[in-house]
Amino acid sequence: MAEREAAPVVGLLLAAGGGRRLGGRPKALLRHRGRPLVEHAVGVLREAGCTRVHVVLGARAAAVREQAELGDCVLLENPDWADGMGSSLRAGLGSLAGTGARAALVSLVDQPGIGPEAVSRVLAAYEGEESLVSAAYDGVRGHPVLFGAAHWAGIAATATGDRGARAYLKEHEGAIRLVECGDVAEPYDIDTEADLSHLE
């Protein structure tokens, strides 16, 4: 499969959040298995088959660069990260222009219960620039999601606040291919102090 060797799909990790409900502790820097959470999340994308990974940083970006070993990832900083996930998604998709990427596989830094098995299932559903794929948990859409390049402009135009691509996906519901991942992953978020119990 020569197309897969050309790495048409780029992993896009959104890791800019400031952890408002965690007392202002950036999620990227939370510790999981002895390393920053952002490092774990990049490792999941790589293990799943994403050879190219772009990481959107925001809160305490300098500290993240210093503390996390992110190898040859493309790191970009979103100065508007406090506006919500939508601005980070726009920044991430914008960073793919001119790279030859034909799709972005988007994952969130604060979902360590989603491992390489789920990510590789979504990646395997890629068919081309028109692809719109989402992991599902008991039939309910979740992350990661794969956006073919044909959708990037539409997503960027509607990604505001913390809604990310929600509005665009709702509008194009019929085109989304759902890939069930509930048997291999748990889609919880690390949002509050109580959620920290999920970290190892």
Side-chain angles (χ1 to χ4, degrees):
M1 252 171 60
E3 195 173 61
R4 181 58 53 82
E5 283 163 25
V9 181
V10 174
L12 178 57
L13 177 65
L14 304 185
R20 195 172 58 245
R21 286 182 284 172
L22 289 166
R25 279 181 288 172
K27 294 180 179 183
L29 289 173
L30 295 174
R31 308 297 280 188
H32 183 56
R33 298 176 185 167
R35 300 298 307 162
L37 195 51
V38 65
E39 204 176 296
H40 169 79
V42 165
V44 167
L45 286 170
R46 291 218 182 281
E47 201 180 322
C50 292
T51 53
R52 293 193 286 166
V53 178
H54 287 216
V55 182
V56 183
L57 302 177
R60 298 197 45 212
V64 176
R65 287 174 182 270
E66 204 175 279
Q67 295 178 36
E69 291 175 26
L70 300 174
D72 58 355
C73 293
V74 174
L75 304 180
L76 50 141
E77 292 184 29
N78 172 20
D80 302 320
W81 64 266
D83 294 344
M85 185 172 56
S87 66
S88 289
L89 181 57
R90 287 198 308 274
L93 292 175
S95 76
L96 299 177
T99 64
R102 298 181 62 208
L105 192 149
V106 181
S107 70
L108 308 181
V109 76
D110 67 344
Q111 294 190 315
I114 298 175
E117 298 85 0
V119 178
S120 60
R121 282 186 190 179
V122 173
L123 185 60
Y126 163 77
E127 291 177 344
E129 293 192 3
E130 297 290 336
S131 289
L132 208 50
V133 185
S134 174
Y137 300 89
D138 296 326
V140 178
R141 189 163 48 72
H143 283 89
V145 286
L146 184 145
F147 302 132
H151 301 281
W152 294 350
I155 291 167
T158 57
T160 55
D162 268 327
R163 291 179 57 78
R166 212 174 301 158
Y168 187 87
L169 291 174
K170 195 170 175 57
E171 209 177 292
H172 296 81
E173 212 154 348
I176 303 170
R177 178 173 171 189
L178 293 180
V179 177
E180 183 56 49
C181 295
D183 57 322
V184 294
E186 293 181 69
Y188 56 79
D189 299 322
I190 307 293
D191 277 335
T192 65
E193 293 285 339
D195 297 332
L196 294 174
S197 63
H198 287 300
L199 298 176
E200 296 168 16

